C-alpha cells in the first residue's frame, strides 16, 4: 500500500521568510499525482499545489513551489515570502489515477506557525 | 459557485446512538469521497462513490459504518451504535473525475460522549 510520511510535526517561520516542508512517499507505480493541502482552523482542506509524476518540471503556484525528486520519492513544499495567513496545517497527499479508487492518501501533517 | 456542503457542522451524541452525516457535493461532480480525521492525524479514507455506487469501501472500519448516495448527488454517512472512538472530523470531498482535484467541505465534527 502507498504511504506518505511527513517527518516534521511542526515548523515555524518569520513573516516574509522562506520555509520548506518535507514529504516522502512510497509507491511502486509510475503514474500518480502528489498534492499539498492546507487546512486552516475552519477545517476545510484547500488545495495548494499539485504535481503529476510524469512531469519533470516542478510545479509552481505564486509563492508556493515544490521540489519533486521522483527517484528519491520526495516531494517538498517551499513557501516564499511567508505571510501570516499561511499559518495552518499542511498535508502532503498521494493519488493513483487508476486501480478503481483514485483515493487520496495523506500524511500526518505539519503545523506551520508564522511569526510576525 | 457553491462548494461542498456538510451538515451538521458539529454533532454531539451519546455512546450507542445512531447518527447520520450529510454531504452535498458540487453540482455535476460524479465522484464523492468520505474521510475521517482524528485529532492530530491526516484524513483517512473511508469510502468512494462513482455515481450512485460505492466503488471502494475498503476504508470503512467495521459494519457499524455505512454510506449511501441513492441519486448520485447527496450522500449520507451512517454510523450505528456509536463508540467514543468514533469521535473525529468527518470530511467529504467531490470531484469531476479521476484526474481532477478533490474539493473538500468543512467537515462534521462528531463527538461521542
Amino acid at each position: 500500500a502507498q504511504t506518505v510520511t511527513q517527518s516534521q510535526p511542526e515548523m515555524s517561520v518569520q513573516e516574509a521568510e522562506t520555509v520548506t516542508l518535507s514529504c516522502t512517499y512510497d509507491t511502486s507505480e509510475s503514474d500518480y499525482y502528489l498534492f499539498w493541502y492546507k487546512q486552516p482552523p475552519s477545517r476545510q482542506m484547500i488545495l495548494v499545489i499539485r504535481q503529476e509524476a510524469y512531469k519533470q518540471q516542478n510545479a509552481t503556484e505564486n509563492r508556493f513551489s515544490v521540489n519533486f525528486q521522483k527517484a528519491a520519492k520526495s516531494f517538498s513544499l517551499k513557501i516564499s515570502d511567508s505571510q501570516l495567513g499561511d499559518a495552518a496545517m499542511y498535508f502532503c497527499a498521494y493519488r493513483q489515477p487508476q486501480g478503481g479508487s483514485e483515493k487520496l492518501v495523506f500524511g500526518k501533517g505539519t503545523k506551520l506557525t508564522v511569526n510576525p | 459557485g457553491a462548494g461542498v456542503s456538510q451538515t451538521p457542522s458539529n454533532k454531539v451524541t451519546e455512546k450507542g446512538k445512531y447518527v447520520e452525516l450529510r454531504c452535498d457535493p458540487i453540482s455535476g461532480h460524479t465522484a464523492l469521497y468520505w474521510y475521517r480525521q482524528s485529532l492530530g492525524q491526516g484524513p483517512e479514507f473511508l469510502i468512494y462513490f462513482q455515481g450512485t455506487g460505492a466503488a471502494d469501501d475498503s476504508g470503512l472500519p467495521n459494519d457499524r459504518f455505512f454510506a449511501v448516495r441513492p441519486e448520485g448527488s447527496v450522500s449520507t454517512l451512517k454510523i450505528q451504535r456509536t463508540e467514543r472512538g468514533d469521535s473525529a472530523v468527518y470530511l467529504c470531498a467531490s470531484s469531476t473525475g479521476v484526474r481532477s482535484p478533490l474539493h473538500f467541505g468543512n467537515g462534521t465534527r462528531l463527538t461521542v460522549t
Side-chain angles (χ1 to χ4, degrees):
Chain A
Q2 291 81 12
T3 58
V4 177
T5 302
Q6 292 179 251
S7 59
Q8 305 155 317
E10 296 187 26
M11 291 283 285
S12 64
V13 63
Q14 291 296 126
E15 195 175 3
E17 297 294 308
T18 295
V19 65
T20 298
L21 308 184
S22 301
C23 172
T24 58
Y25 59 95
D26 186 25
T27 184
S28 58
E29 303 295 329
S30 59
D31 182 20
Y32 52 87
Y33 291 87
L34 296 166
F35 304 85
W36 280 97
Y37 278 87
K38 170 185 178 181
Q39 188 179 42
S42 69
R43 301 196 304 244
Q44 186 181 24
M45 300 289 281
I46 301 166
L47 178 64
V48 174
I49 198 166
R50 78 170 187 171
Q51 174 81 42
E52 291 94 334
Y54 63 85
K55 289 188 177 179
Q56 292 187 344
Q57 186 172 7
N58 288 327
T60 299
E61 287 287 343
N62 300 315
R63 297 182 296 107
F64 299 87
S65 61
V66 298
N67 183 3
F68 174 47
Q69 301 290 328
K70 191 172 184 179
K73 298 179 182 175
S74 171
F75 183 62
S76 61
L77 174 69
K78 185 171 83 171
I79 306 174
S80 303
D81 186 25
S82 297
Q83 300 176 0
L84 295 177
D86 294 335
M89 286 293 295
Y90 285 82
F91 292 93
C92 178
Y94 166 101
R95 188 183 192 193
Q96 187 178 319
Q98 61 259 356
S101 179
E102 299 87 41
K103 64 189 178 189
L104 278 171
V105 176
F106 287 89
K108 291 190 174 182
T110 297
K111 182 179 180 181
L112 179 65
T113 301
V114 181
N115 300 310
Chain B
V4 177
S5 175
Q6 291 189 246
T7 54
S9 179
N10 293 282
K11 175 72 177 178
V12 180
T13 191
E14 292 180 350
K15 179 176 179 295
K17 298 290 188 182
Y18 168 83
V19 296
E20 289 189 352
L21 311 179
R22 176 187 169 105
C23 173
D24 242 302
I26 294 172
S27 178
H29 281 197
T30 56
L32 186 146
Y33 300 80
W34 282 100
Y35 283 81
R36 178 168 72 173
Q37 187 175 20
S38 301
L39 192 64
Q41 301 293 316
E44 293 179 315
F45 170 78
L46 294 176
I47 187 169
Y48 157 62
F49 287 91
Q50 183 57 250
T52 60
D56 182 357
D57 64 358
S58 62
L60 295 177
N62 52 59
D63 61 6
R64 295 187 298 106
F65 288 74
F66 189 71
V68 295
R69 195 185 185 198
E71 298 180 358
S73 178
V74 171
S75 176
T76 305
L77 178 65
K78 308 180 180 192
I79 310 174
Q80 299 177 321
R81 304 183 303 280
T82 52
E83 300 177 357
R84 292 193 180 89
D86 298 335
S87 296
V89 172
Y90 290 81
L91 294 166
C92 177
S94 68
S95 78
T96 56
V98 172
R99 295 182 183 270
S100 301
L102 268 62
H103 298 264
F104 284 83
N106 287 354
T108 294
R109 182 181 298 281
L110 175 66
T111 303
V112 182
T113 61

